[in-house]
Amino acid sequence: MDLAVPNQGQAVVPLYKHIKQIENSYKLPKPKNEFEVLSFFKKEKWPEIEAQKFFNHYQSTGWKIGGKIKIEDWHASARNWMLKAKEIAAQIKTNSNSYQQSQNKDNLHTTRNKDYHQPL
């Protein structure tokens, strides 16, 4: 009997199969409850309403980004949430100012008192 050839009935299992993968220690599990998110937002001096929006949004998606990718660090997601909230607030402010300016000037140069009895 040749020792170099494995027995036909024996399954060959690679050596690395039994090594378990070590989980990263920097990963934060999802928050336990809304209070944990609120306390994090208070510590960062961010609005409480944004904490509620953040928690409700990700709670509804199962703490996944785009419904597919599991959130690894919810603190980082919260920081991104607040950056985006500030961008949106600035954009709304800019758009409302431009809207008011366009309302003040007459872009079409039309008269305000129109006579609808005249044919076109």
Side-chain angles (χ1 to χ4, degrees):
M1 185 166 190
D2 190 8
L3 295 177
V5 179
N7 187 356
Q8 293 297 329
Q10 181 181 1
V12 180
V13 179
L15 293 175
Y16 62 86
K17 184 99 174 171
H18 300 291
I19 300 172
K20 291 190 176 185
Q21 199 171 23
I22 300 170
E23 293 214 11
N24 292 335
S25 60
Y26 69 87
K27 292 182 183 180
L28 293 172
K30 64 183 181 181
K32 296 172 189 155
N33 53 28
E34 189 174 4
F35 180 73
E36 188 176 356
V37 174
L38 287 169
S39 64
F40 177 73
F41 272 68
K42 283 181 185 177
K43 184 180 83 172
E44 297 290 331
K45 296 179 180 148
W46 293 332
E48 185 177 322
I49 188 73
E50 288 298 328
Q52 292 171 340
K53 288 179 188 178
F54 173 80
F55 181 79
N56 290 334
H57 174 76
Y58 284 112
Q59 186 72 20
S60 68
T61 61
W63 294 94
K64 293 183 179 181
I65 300 170
K68 297 178 182 178
I69 304 167
K70 183 180 173 185
I71 293 177
E72 299 293 333
D73 183 359
W74 72 268
H75 287 166
S77 295
R79 286 189 285 276
N80 284 336
W81 181 276
M82 285 310 300
L83 288 173
K84 195 67 170 170
K86 289 176 185 176
E87 287 177 16
I88 291 170
Q91 187 178 25
I92 289 172
K93 186 176 180 181
T94 303
N95 288 344
S96 66
N97 287 342
S98 64
Y99 177 75
Q100 289 173 349
Q101 289 173 353
S102 69
Q103 291 296 314
N104 292 339
K105 63 182 183 178
D106 192 4
N107 291 332
L108 298 176
H109 305 291
T110 60
T111 60
R112 300 215 181 245
N113 298 326
K114 297 180 180 181
D115 184 9
Y116 290 102
H117 296 291
Q118 290 180 341
L120 295 174

